[in-house]
Amino acid sequence: MGFTLEGPVLDGARVRLEPLDHHHAQDLMAAAEENRTSYGFTWVPTAAGVEAYIDAQHARVATGMLAAYAQVDRASGRAVGATGFWEPRPWPTGDGLCAIEVGFTWLAASAQGTGINTEAKYLLFRHAFETWGTARVDLKTDARNSKCRAAIAGVGASFEGVLRNWSPSWAPGEDGLLRDSAMFSITAAEWPDCRVRLEQRLARRSAAR
């Protein structure tokens, strides 16, 4: 049987990943209008564009290439950002999952540095490796986005290099242009150690609260 991309609710202590829908729109409007200085290379809608953003993500979901999530802060119950599974690559036999990307990620400024991103990545990685049995998880970002590159490395992904003119740029004023993409991954063999490190990191943050 072939692989079908479906993103279930994923629950953590700090964040709940829920399939993105229009009932998240009001929260995401508020989240998107906080300090936007970290969004220079990332697709983050303005408040006025949130409904269209959700529609665009739903169109990708309909192709079977995206499982889009809202990141819901468990403490407040409010959606504070988005993320997703993207571009599943089944094995050549069509049976099971070879690789998948974690992407389309953004968080409100007030949610950055709180542990929500770490736990969201942990939940997504765990599901990909332990439920779907994928061989690798991909992550990528604009090669110029040093903050995002550091965050990806910080959750245990290995830097693989920069692919030039790899994907459309999200940077302001660069519509229709291609960007260089910094590529990262975690493999199934690396996941057990990565899981331990992420769990230790989350435990330290909990103890410090």
Side-chain angles (χ1 to χ4, degrees):
M1 179 178 291
F3 177 80
T4 300
L5 179 58
E6 295 178 346
V9 172
L10 299 175
D11 264 316
R14 296 170 180 77
V15 65
R16 175 181 171 89
L17 301 182
E18 301 177 355
L20 178 67
D21 212 338
H22 284 281
H23 70 268
H24 298 114
Q26 290 297 319
D27 288 349
L28 293 179
M29 289 177 188
E33 289 305 310
E34 293 184 14
N35 187 327
R36 295 179 61 87
T37 56
S38 66
Y39 300 153
F41 302 106
T42 306
W43 181 34
V44 180
T46 62
V50 164
E51 296 284 2
Y53 168 84
I54 294 173
D55 287 338
Q57 294 297 68
H58 282 183
R60 291 181 172 90
V61 170
T63 69
M65 296 299 287
L66 176 69
Y69 283 106
Q71 300 195 62
V72 178
D73 177 8
R74 294 292 300 269
S76 67
R78 297 177 63 85
V80 293
T83 191
F85 288 116
W86 172 237
E87 291 192 334
R89 300 198 301 281
W91 289 104
T93 60
D95 186 20
L97 186 65
C98 174
I100 196 164
E101 181 177 336
V102 168
F104 287 107
T105 300
W106 63 272
L107 279 173
S110 61
Q112 296 174 23
T114 64
I116 285 177
N117 177 64
T118 300
E119 187 174 60
K121 292 296 193 297
Y122 169 77
L123 295 171
L124 293 165
F125 297 163
R126 187 178 67 183
H127 189 78
F129 287 116
E130 299 181 16
T131 299
W132 290 334
T134 190
R136 66 177 269 149
V137 169
D138 304 329
L139 303 100
K140 67 177 184 286
T141 188
D142 192 304
R144 298 166 293 181
N145 193 342
S146 57
K147 182 175 181 179
C148 187
R149 289 176 64 162
I152 292 173
V155 295
S158 296
F159 175 60
E160 296 183 322
V162 173
L163 297 182
R164 297 177 298 166
N165 286 355
W166 181 251
S167 56
S169 174
W170 297 111
E174 295 186 357
D175 291 350
L177 299 181
L178 295 173
R179 75 180 193 191
D180 295 347
S181 291
M183 312 297 289
F184 296 77
S185 72
I186 300 170
T187 67
E190 295 166 338
W191 169 240
D193 286 342
C194 180
R195 174 175 178 159
V196 169
R197 291 194 299 270
L198 287 173
E199 289 175 345
Q200 289 173 341
R201 182 174 170 182
L202 291 168
R204 287 194 299 270
R205 184 172 287 274
S206 291
R209 292 174 69 181

